[in-house]
Amino acid sequence: MVESPPPLLDVRDLRTHFATDTGMVTAVDGASFSVPRGKTVCVVGESGCGKSVTGRSILRIVDAPGRVVGGSILWDRDGTGDPVDLATLDPGGPDIRKIRGDEIAMVFQEPMTSLSPVHTIGSQIAESVRLHTDLDDDAVRGRVIEVLGQVGMPRPESRYDAYTFQLSGGMRQRAMIAMALVCHPRLLIADEPTTALDVTTQAQILRLMVQLQAEMDMSVLFITHDMGVVAQIADEVVVMYLGTVVETGPTEQIFTDPRHPYTRALLQAIPRFGQRRAGRALSIIPGSVPDPYRRPGGCPFHPRCAQARPGTCDVVEPATVTVAERRDVRCVLAAEEVHS
Amino acid sequence: MMTQFVIRRVLYMIPTLIAVSIVTFLVIQAPPGDYLTTVVARLEAEGQYVDRGQLDALRERYGLDESVWVQYWRWITGIVLHGDFGQSLVYSAPVSDVIQERLGLTILLSVTTLAFVWAVAIPIGMYSAVRRYSVGDYAATFVGFIGLAIPNFLIALILLYVSYRYLGQSVGGLFSPEFVDARWNLGKVLDLLAHLWIPVVIIGTAGTAGMIRVVRANLLDELNRPYVVTARAKGLPERRLLIKYPSRIAASPIVSTVGWLLPSLISAEIIVSVVLSLPTTGPVMLRALESQDMYLAGSFLLVLSVLTVVGTLISDILLARLDPRIRYGRR
């Protein structure tokens, strides 16, 4: 077996907690996954499962009172096998700031509110370049116009001086992507970048991201709740539920052979063409994500799981078992299959 | 774009100013009788001889027998073309002479106070927002509420007492006795500065306290906006981030207060000036109102209104500089 190179990003047992007045919210509670070089990894799950907080924890930009309280985030930029643990860095310190926007960049969900309304998009993108390079003003401007062109912004020279309110939703998101890519990051974290866009624009932005990823040879951590998007762009999938990773694996295997009951339920909840005429109702996952203040004991998914076994699932937290190469499942059922 | 905006905005000012002057004139005309009846009544009460010829000349000059509109026209053209604000009957002198020196000091006092309010309130408010619920925030909030709650004149009296009793400094007025009638020179300017801080602190306290709350609330609103997270994700240091993004956007509502802050400072100044006997417009305005000195009171009203309109103009221009959405806004 060929020794595979160390992953670009290796998240181990990440815990991010929010100490609020009404109690402790364990937004991310022991999540583990890794991002290989040059690949797209999709993090999926319902609202409130900790996907976004996971993405922000990596860059250490979790909003107060949230804090990374445990685990490690190993960042191995050059594949030397000597990674930096981002979880131990001071979130306000210079070390993490050097990585932000330069080695790891982020694209957010709502480009209208995620960009400043009172600065031109050019100046906002140029700021990244100025922070991370020593280029002079002309070179910075040239670099910004170049990247605006790369993301398919028409007439990039004149759009440099445009404000967000003068652009359409799709163009704003392109500007946002340009801002993330301007310093050639090794990893792009995209937090539901297409959710706020209409379907046509969504497709354009997805295509653009796939194309740019290939051109720039970077890894993408794509956070989404849309299994359709996952099918289109992911090499690997990380399924999250209530702050834990319940299943990871190559996309094809996740879609054809889901092992965790939650993954199966998610896949069954994808609407299919002709479903209604065939007399089949859209299947939904019963119940909803539990109150973050009152997490169920044992397996977090057991109250909604069709195959839950009383006495086991509501008592013991299941262990994560590796069922195949790069294929982990956190469920007692999978554990039994492996052992038998 | 900016020039166009300013020109448009200045043109809009003209009808506003005309309307303001009409209202002011109607207000000074509202008491029964006219200016001359008041003069005659006063002179006769003092047993003085009333010169018919002089009266007729005045009557002719202000068009007192004509309609209200003619009178308004004469009044306003007198002000605009000749700087003639009419006669003050309390001071028996032209209104412009009474106002002139005092108005300069009032504007100096108000502008200094405004600068004081901002210089103190903005850093404290920003600190309070960024370090919310810290000891410093609670301290600023506590001091702020006390500043809001204590009336100006009380602070004035306390400061008067403290500085007279313990500092041995006379705090009445803006000048030491030897400089009051002196010509302007360096000594007089320094003397003015030595006296100015007391009224500035007194008049500015309530404004500062209020402004701290406004700055804090506005900045808190902006601190957790997604664009702040975006800027942080770029690797921007926190301090630069704070100044460049949320503060810039939180500044808009504060800048828009310039318009009304100016007149409110001037009216706060009235009470304080009476207490501290400052040679500003405040006490004169009060006296004019008490004694129905129509032209004097009217001139004050007019000047205050014009200051408000000008203040609004300044704040609008600043807002447009700060926020492109206003600059490019639909007209």
Short mmCIF file of all heavy atoms in Angstrom, two decimals, chain B residues 92-133:
data_model
loop_
_atom_site.label_atom_id
_atom_site.label_comp_id
_atom_site.label_asym_id
_atom_site.label_seq_id
_atom_site.Cartn_x
_atom_site.Cartn_y
_atom_site.Cartn_z
N SER B 92 -31.59 99.82 23.96
CA SER B 92 -31.61 101.07 23.21
C SER B 92 -30.44 101.16 22.25
O SER B 92 -29.72 102.16 22.20
CB SER B 92 -31.59 102.30 24.14
OG SER B 92 -32.57 102.15 25.12
N ALA B 93 -30.19 100.08 21.54
CA ALA B 93 -29.08 100.05 20.58
C ALA B 93 -29.49 99.11 19.45
O ALA B 93 -30.41 98.31 19.62
CB ALA B 93 -27.81 99.53 21.25
N PRO B 94 -28.81 99.20 18.30
CA PRO B 94 -29.13 98.25 17.22
C PRO B 94 -28.89 96.82 17.69
O PRO B 94 -27.91 96.54 18.40
CB PRO B 94 -28.14 98.62 16.12
CG PRO B 94 -27.73 100.01 16.41
CD PRO B 94 -27.81 100.17 17.89
N VAL B 95 -29.79 95.91 17.31
CA VAL B 95 -29.69 94.51 17.73
C VAL B 95 -28.33 93.94 17.33
O VAL B 95 -27.69 93.22 18.10
CB VAL B 95 -30.83 93.68 17.09
CG1 VAL B 95 -30.56 92.19 17.27
CG2 VAL B 95 -32.15 94.06 17.72
N SER B 96 -27.88 94.30 16.10
CA SER B 96 -26.63 93.71 15.62
C SER B 96 -25.47 94.04 16.56
O SER B 96 -24.61 93.19 16.81
CB SER B 96 -26.33 94.18 14.20
OG SER B 96 -26.48 95.57 14.12
N ASP B 97 -25.49 95.28 17.14
CA ASP B 97 -24.41 95.63 18.07
C ASP B 97 -24.48 94.78 19.33
O ASP B 97 -23.46 94.38 19.89
CB ASP B 97 -24.50 97.11 18.46
CG ASP B 97 -24.13 98.01 17.29
OD1 ASP B 97 -23.73 97.44 16.24
OD2 ASP B 97 -24.27 99.24 17.42
N VAL B 98 -25.72 94.55 19.80
CA VAL B 98 -25.89 93.78 21.03
C VAL B 98 -25.41 92.34 20.83
O VAL B 98 -24.73 91.77 21.68
CB VAL B 98 -27.38 93.78 21.46
CG1 VAL B 98 -27.57 92.93 22.71
CG2 VAL B 98 -27.86 95.19 21.68
N ILE B 99 -25.78 91.78 19.66
CA ILE B 99 -25.49 90.37 19.43
C ILE B 99 -24.02 90.11 19.12
O ILE B 99 -23.45 89.15 19.61
CB ILE B 99 -26.34 89.84 18.24
CG1 ILE B 99 -27.82 89.90 18.60
CG2 ILE B 99 -25.96 88.41 17.94
CD1 ILE B 99 -28.69 89.31 17.52
N GLN B 100 -23.44 90.99 18.30
CA GLN B 100 -22.18 90.67 17.63
C GLN B 100 -21.13 89.96 18.47
O GLN B 100 -20.82 88.79 18.24
CB GLN B 100 -21.58 91.95 17.06
CG GLN B 100 -20.92 91.71 15.73
CD GLN B 100 -20.67 93.02 15.03
OE1 GLN B 100 -20.41 94.06 15.65
NE2 GLN B 100 -20.73 92.98 13.70
N GLU B 101 -20.60 90.66 19.47
CA GLU B 101 -19.52 90.07 20.24
C GLU B 101 -19.98 88.80 20.96
O GLU B 101 -19.28 87.81 21.02
CB GLU B 101 -18.98 91.08 21.26
CG GLU B 101 -17.93 90.46 22.15
CD GLU B 101 -16.63 91.25 22.15
OE1 GLU B 101 -16.43 92.06 21.24
OE2 GLU B 101 -15.84 91.04 23.06
N ARG B 102 -21.20 88.88 21.48
CA ARG B 102 -21.71 87.75 22.24
C ARG B 102 -21.91 86.52 21.36
O ARG B 102 -21.66 85.39 21.79
CB ARG B 102 -23.03 88.13 22.90
CG ARG B 102 -22.81 89.07 24.05
CD ARG B 102 -24.08 89.67 24.58
NE ARG B 102 -23.78 90.43 25.79
CZ ARG B 102 -23.96 89.94 27.01
NH1 ARG B 102 -24.45 88.73 27.16
NH2 ARG B 102 -23.67 90.67 28.06
N LEU B 103 -22.34 86.75 20.14
CA LEU B 103 -22.59 85.61 19.25
C LEU B 103 -21.30 84.88 18.94
O LEU B 103 -21.25 83.65 18.93
CB LEU B 103 -23.25 86.09 17.96
CG LEU B 103 -23.88 84.98 17.13
CD1 LEU B 103 -25.01 84.31 17.88
CD2 LEU B 103 -24.37 85.52 15.80
N GLY B 104 -20.23 85.65 18.73
CA GLY B 104 -18.94 85.03 18.47
C GLY B 104 -18.53 84.12 19.61
O GLY B 104 -18.14 82.96 19.40
N LEU B 105 -18.67 84.63 20.85
CA LEU B 105 -18.29 83.84 22.02
C LEU B 105 -19.19 82.61 22.15
O LEU B 105 -18.74 81.53 22.54
CB LEU B 105 -18.35 84.69 23.28
CG LEU B 105 -17.23 85.72 23.40
CD1 LEU B 105 -17.45 86.64 24.59
CD2 LEU B 105 -15.88 85.02 23.52
N THR B 106 -20.48 82.81 21.83
CA THR B 106 -21.41 81.68 21.93
C THR B 106 -21.01 80.58 20.96
O THR B 106 -20.98 79.40 21.33
CB THR B 106 -22.83 82.15 21.60
OG1 THR B 106 -23.19 83.16 22.51
CG2 THR B 106 -23.81 80.99 21.70
N ILE B 107 -20.69 80.99 19.73
CA ILE B 107 -20.32 79.98 18.74
C ILE B 107 -19.02 79.30 19.16
O ILE B 107 -18.91 78.07 19.11
CB ILE B 107 -20.20 80.62 17.34
CG1 ILE B 107 -21.61 80.99 16.86
CG2 ILE B 107 -19.54 79.67 16.35
CD1 ILE B 107 -21.64 81.76 15.57
N LEU B 108 -18.08 80.08 19.66
CA LEU B 108 -16.83 79.50 20.15
C LEU B 108 -17.11 78.48 21.25
O LEU B 108 -16.61 77.35 21.23
CB LEU B 108 -15.91 80.61 20.69
CG LEU B 108 -14.63 80.11 21.36
CD1 LEU B 108 -13.64 79.62 20.32
CD2 LEU B 108 -14.00 81.18 22.24
N LEU B 109 -17.96 78.89 22.19
CA LEU B 109 -18.30 78.01 23.31
C LEU B 109 -18.97 76.73 22.81
O LEU B 109 -18.64 75.62 23.25
CB LEU B 109 -19.22 78.76 24.28
CG LEU B 109 -19.58 78.07 25.59
CD1 LEU B 109 -18.32 77.74 26.37
CD2 LEU B 109 -20.50 78.96 26.42
N SER B 110 -19.91 76.87 21.88
CA SER B 110 -20.65 75.71 21.39
C SER B 110 -19.77 74.75 20.62
O SER B 110 -19.84 73.54 20.82
CB SER B 110 -21.81 76.17 20.50
OG SER B 110 -22.66 77.00 21.22
N VAL B 111 -18.94 75.32 19.75
CA VAL B 111 -18.08 74.45 18.94
C VAL B 111 -17.07 73.74 19.83
O VAL B 111 -16.82 72.53 19.68
CB VAL B 111 -17.37 75.27 17.83
CG1 VAL B 111 -16.30 74.44 17.15
CG2 VAL B 111 -18.39 75.75 16.82
N THR B 112 -16.52 74.47 20.81
CA THR B 112 -15.58 73.84 21.74
C THR B 112 -16.28 72.71 22.50
O THR B 112 -15.73 71.63 22.70
CB THR B 112 -15.03 74.86 22.74
OG1 THR B 112 -14.69 76.05 22.04
CG2 THR B 112 -13.81 74.34 23.44
N THR B 113 -17.51 72.99 22.94
CA THR B 113 -18.25 71.98 23.68
C THR B 113 -18.49 70.75 22.81
O THR B 113 -18.32 69.61 23.26
CB THR B 113 -19.60 72.55 24.16
OG1 THR B 113 -19.36 73.77 24.83
CG2 THR B 113 -20.29 71.58 25.08
N LEU B 114 -18.87 71.00 21.56
CA LEU B 114 -19.11 69.88 20.65
C LEU B 114 -17.85 69.04 20.50
O LEU B 114 -17.89 67.80 20.59
CB LEU B 114 -19.54 70.43 19.29
CG LEU B 114 -20.05 69.43 18.28
CD1 LEU B 114 -21.34 68.80 18.77
CD2 LEU B 114 -20.28 70.09 16.92
N ALA B 115 -16.72 69.71 20.34
CA ALA B 115 -15.45 68.99 20.20
C ALA B 115 -15.16 68.20 21.47
O ALA B 115 -14.74 67.04 21.42
CB ALA B 115 -14.32 69.97 19.91
N PHE B 116 -15.43 68.83 22.62
CA PHE B 116 -15.21 68.16 23.90
C PHE B 116 -16.09 66.91 24.01
O PHE B 116 -15.62 65.83 24.36
CB PHE B 116 -15.54 69.14 25.04
CG PHE B 116 -15.67 68.50 26.39
CD1 PHE B 116 -14.55 68.14 27.11
CD2 PHE B 116 -16.93 68.25 26.94
CE1 PHE B 116 -14.67 67.56 28.37
CE2 PHE B 116 -17.06 67.66 28.18
CZ PHE B 116 -15.93 67.31 28.90
N VAL B 117 -17.38 67.06 23.66
CA VAL B 117 -18.32 65.94 23.75
C VAL B 117 -17.82 64.77 22.91
O VAL B 117 -17.75 63.63 23.37
CB VAL B 117 -19.72 66.37 23.28
CG1 VAL B 117 -20.62 65.17 23.05
CG2 VAL B 117 -20.35 67.32 24.28
N TRP B 118 -17.42 65.07 21.68
CA TRP B 118 -16.98 63.98 20.79
C TRP B 118 -15.68 63.38 21.25
O TRP B 118 -15.50 62.17 21.26
CB TRP B 118 -16.85 64.52 19.36
CG TRP B 118 -18.19 64.64 18.72
CD1 TRP B 118 -19.39 64.69 19.36
CD2 TRP B 118 -18.47 64.72 17.32
NE1 TRP B 118 -20.40 64.81 18.45
CE2 TRP B 118 -19.86 64.83 17.20
CE3 TRP B 118 -17.68 64.72 16.18
CZ2 TRP B 118 -20.49 64.92 15.97
CZ3 TRP B 118 -18.31 64.81 14.95
CH2 TRP B 118 -19.69 64.91 14.84
N ALA B 119 -14.76 64.24 21.64
CA ALA B 119 -13.43 63.74 22.01
C ALA B 119 -13.53 62.81 23.22
O ALA B 119 -12.77 61.86 23.35
CB ALA B 119 -12.49 64.90 22.32
N VAL B 120 -14.48 63.10 24.12
CA VAL B 120 -14.61 62.26 25.30
C VAL B 120 -15.52 61.07 25.04
O VAL B 120 -15.20 59.93 25.37
CB VAL B 120 -15.14 63.09 26.49
CG1 VAL B 120 -15.42 62.19 27.68
CG2 VAL B 120 -14.15 64.18 26.85
N ALA B 121 -16.65 61.34 24.39
CA ALA B 121 -17.69 60.31 24.30
C ALA B 121 -17.34 59.20 23.31
O ALA B 121 -17.63 58.03 23.56
CB ALA B 121 -19.03 60.94 23.90
N ILE B 122 -16.70 59.54 22.20
CA ILE B 122 -16.47 58.52 21.18
C ILE B 122 -15.50 57.44 21.66
O ILE B 122 -15.84 56.26 21.59
CB ILE B 122 -16.06 59.17 19.84
CG1 ILE B 122 -17.28 59.89 19.27
CG2 ILE B 122 -15.55 58.13 18.85
CD1 ILE B 122 -17.03 60.68 18.01
N PRO B 123 -14.32 57.81 22.19
CA PRO B 123 -13.45 56.73 22.69
C PRO B 123 -14.09 55.92 23.81
O PRO B 123 -14.00 54.70 23.82
CB PRO B 123 -12.22 57.48 23.21
CG PRO B 123 -12.28 58.83 22.62
CD PRO B 123 -13.69 59.13 22.29
N ILE B 124 -14.77 56.60 24.75
CA ILE B 124 -15.36 55.87 25.87
C ILE B 124 -16.47 54.95 25.37
O ILE B 124 -16.58 53.79 25.76
CB ILE B 124 -15.90 56.85 26.94
CG1 ILE B 124 -14.73 57.61 27.56
CG2 ILE B 124 -16.67 56.09 28.02
CD1 ILE B 124 -15.15 58.58 28.65
N GLY B 125 -17.29 55.48 24.46
CA GLY B 125 -18.38 54.67 23.91
C GLY B 125 -17.85 53.46 23.17
O GLY B 125 -18.38 52.34 23.29
N MET B 126 -16.78 53.66 22.40
CA MET B 126 -16.19 52.53 21.66
C MET B 126 -15.64 51.50 22.62
O MET B 126 -15.84 50.30 22.46
CB MET B 126 -15.09 53.03 20.72
CG MET B 126 -15.63 53.70 19.47
SD MET B 126 -14.33 54.47 18.48
CE MET B 126 -13.52 53.04 17.80
N TYR B 127 -14.96 51.98 23.66
CA TYR B 127 -14.42 51.05 24.66
C TYR B 127 -15.56 50.25 25.31
O TYR B 127 -15.49 49.04 25.44
CB TYR B 127 -13.65 51.83 25.72
CG TYR B 127 -13.15 50.96 26.85
CD1 TYR B 127 -11.94 50.29 26.74
CD2 TYR B 127 -13.91 50.77 28.00
CE1 TYR B 127 -11.50 49.46 27.75
CE2 TYR B 127 -13.48 49.95 29.02
CZ TYR B 127 -12.27 49.30 28.89
OH TYR B 127 -11.85 48.47 29.89
N SER B 128 -16.63 50.96 25.67
CA SER B 128 -17.77 50.32 26.31
C SER B 128 -18.37 49.23 25.43
O SER B 128 -18.80 48.20 25.92
CB SER B 128 -18.86 51.35 26.60
OG SER B 128 -18.68 51.91 27.85
N ALA B 129 -18.41 49.49 24.13
CA ALA B 129 -19.01 48.51 23.22
C ALA B 129 -18.11 47.30 23.04
O ALA B 129 -18.55 46.15 23.11
CB ALA B 129 -19.30 49.16 21.87
N VAL B 130 -16.81 47.57 22.82
CA VAL B 130 -15.89 46.47 22.55
C VAL B 130 -15.69 45.61 23.80
O VAL B 130 -15.64 44.39 23.73
CB VAL B 130 -14.53 47.02 22.05
CG1 VAL B 130 -13.53 45.89 21.88
CG2 VAL B 130 -14.74 47.73 20.73
N ARG B 131 -15.62 46.25 24.96
CA ARG B 131 -15.47 45.50 26.22
C ARG B 131 -16.79 45.53 26.97
O ARG B 131 -16.85 45.99 28.11
CB ARG B 131 -14.40 46.15 27.09
CG ARG B 131 -13.04 46.17 26.45
CD ARG B 131 -12.13 45.14 27.03
NE ARG B 131 -10.83 45.18 26.39
CZ ARG B 131 -10.57 44.57 25.23
NH1 ARG B 131 -11.51 43.89 24.61
NH2 ARG B 131 -9.37 44.64 24.70
N ARG B 132 -17.82 45.05 26.31
CA ARG B 132 -19.14 45.10 26.93
C ARG B 132 -19.16 44.28 28.22
O ARG B 132 -18.59 43.19 28.27
CB ARG B 132 -20.18 44.55 25.96
CG ARG B 132 -21.58 44.59 26.52
CD ARG B 132 -22.60 44.69 25.45
NE ARG B 132 -22.67 43.47 24.66
CZ ARG B 132 -23.81 42.92 24.27
NH1 ARG B 132 -24.94 43.48 24.58
NH2 ARG B 132 -23.81 41.84 23.54
N TYR B 133 -19.85 44.80 29.23
CA TYR B 133 -20.01 44.15 30.54
C TYR B 133 -18.69 44.04 31.30
O TYR B 133 -18.59 43.27 32.24
CB TYR B 133 -20.66 42.77 30.41
CG TYR B 133 -22.01 42.81 29.73
CD1 TYR B 133 -22.42 41.82 28.86
CD2 TYR B 133 -22.87 43.89 29.95
CE1 TYR B 133 -23.65 41.88 28.24
CE2 TYR B 133 -24.09 43.96 29.33
CZ TYR B 133 -24.47 42.95 28.47
OH TYR B 133 -25.69 43.02 27.84
#
